[in-house]
Amino acid sequence: VLAVYFAYGASALVGVATVFLQKDLGLTPAEVAGIGFWLGLPWASKMGVGVASDRFPVFGSQRTAYLLLGIACTLAGYGLMATVVVTKGQYLSAMLLAALGYMIQDVIADALSVELARDEEELGQIQALGRMAVLAGGIGVAYIGGLLAQHLGARAVFGVALALPVLVLIALATWAGHGRQIAAAGAAAR
């Protein structure tokens, strides 16, 4: 859960690179504002994704499959930004994929927070740790993002940012492996 929140906060890494790429693509301030509107739409649909993950399991999974979908969307968006985006439409599509991916991951992290907490106090602690992880991610990369954009270029920063969804994937694999160990130990004890 905390890896998702940290990665979302650390997505600030691409902030300066995004501005450079917008300039390279010749986007006007009005076009940037319009794109900002579209990038906000995934976040406005969080409740729908939450309901979908509760009501419609994918391959029998209410959380893991949706988290993998979010990771895939973010990877695709950042991968496109790092390699092939050369038009305004491609830029919007790639950024929309990344935003959609982070939104899906956030919804699932929120749901897991509720499921993992034993009581209201623990839920509050998990939520507080989640906010701290977002802040730590953002603060941790704020200066680095600008340096990377200046010295490596905007596309390279998006390439570096591919590490963020990979971090969540590694955390998911570790957590899943740990869960299997706990289940096996419980079965052996019976």
Side-chain angles (χ1 to χ4, degrees):
V1 171
L2 296 181
V4 170
Y5 293 132
F6 177 83
Y8 174 63
S11 70
L13 179 75
V14 301
V16 173
T18 300
V19 173
F20 282 11
L21 199 54
Q22 289 169 347
K23 182 181 174 201
D24 290 347
L25 293 173
L27 295 174
T28 67
E31 289 170 326
V32 170
I35 288 170
F37 165 80
W38 290 106
L39 296 181
L41 287 181
W43 294 97
S45 63
K46 275 182 71 170
M47 288 179 54
V49 172
V51 170
S53 73
D54 287 340
R55 301 272 324 231
F56 306 108
V58 175
F59 302 117
S61 168
Q62 288 181 299
R63 305 292 179 241
T64 303
Y66 282 91
L67 193 54
L68 289 171
L69 175 63
I71 291 167
C73 286
T74 305
L75 279 170
Y78 281 167
L80 291 169
M81 292 297 291
T83 57
V84 300
V85 169
V86 292
T87 68
K88 296 170 188 176
Q90 291 171 340
Y91 172 80
L92 172 61
S93 298
M95 291 299 283
L96 201 51
L97 268 173
L100 180 65
Y102 277 121
M103 181 275 296
I104 293 170
Q105 292 174 67
D106 184 66
V107 166
I108 300 307
D110 291 347
L112 287 171
S113 296
V114 173
E115 291 173 6
L116 294 173
R118 290 181 291 244
D119 55 35
E120 291 294 320
E121 182 179 337
E122 193 169 65
L123 177 59
Q125 291 171 348
I126 292 170
Q127 289 174 336
L129 288 171
R131 296 308 121 214
M132 284 189 256
V134 171
L135 287 171
I139 292 167
V141 302
Y143 185 69
I144 295 168
L147 284 176
L148 290 174
Q150 179 182 3
H151 295 290
L152 300 178
R155 292 190 187 279
V157 175
F158 282 98
V160 170
L162 287 166
L164 298 173
V166 170
L167 170 72
V168 176
L169 187 59
I170 291 168
L172 174 63
T174 302
W175 180 65
H178 181 68
R180 282 192 291 276
Q181 290 174 346
I182 292 170
R190 287 185 220 142

